[in-house]
Amino acid sequence: MIALLFDIVGMTGTFLVVGAFFMLQLGKAKPTGLLYNMMNLSGAILLLISLCYNFNLASFVIEIFWIAASLIGLYKYLKAKQTTAIA
């Protein structure tokens, strides 16, 4: 039962990351936008959680980098939003 729960968490993360990429390719999301970066961040975190049950070092490392890239994107988004609000 617990394995199924971790599989559901991991698959949800996969759908978020892949869905963000598809939305980008279809022009429904911007690479600098909030939606794209939040989907990637959420998906990577969920995949990282699923790796706590079924650990794989390579997948763990790529999810850490995915989280870092998403946080950089969110920082740039918020910084641009703040700059726009001040101007």
Side-chain angles (χ1 to χ4, degrees):
M1 185 63 174
I2 193 85
L4 178 62
L5 179 63
F6 278 99
D7 281 343
I8 291 169
V9 168
M11 288 304 295
T12 302
T14 299
F15 285 125
L16 283 167
V17 171
V18 173
F21 185 70
F22 270 96
M23 288 179 65
L24 181 68
Q25 296 305 313
L26 295 171
K28 303 292 183 187
K30 297 177 186 174
T32 56
L34 181 63
L35 178 64
Y36 178 74
N37 285 294
M38 285 301 295
M39 285 179 72
N40 275 315
L41 178 62
S42 302
I45 290 170
L46 291 174
L47 282 162
L48 203 59
I49 291 169
S50 75
L51 287 171
C52 291
Y53 184 76
N54 239 345
F55 187 76
N56 177 300
L57 181 59
S59 295
F60 180 84
V61 170
I62 199 166
E63 294 314 320
I64 295 297
F65 280 107
W66 210 258
I67 289 169
S70 298
L71 289 173
I72 290 168
L74 286 171
Y75 172 78
K76 289 174 73 175
Y77 170 82
L78 293 172
K79 189 175 176 183
K81 198 80 155 166
Q82 184 181 31
T83 303
T84 304
I86 293 172

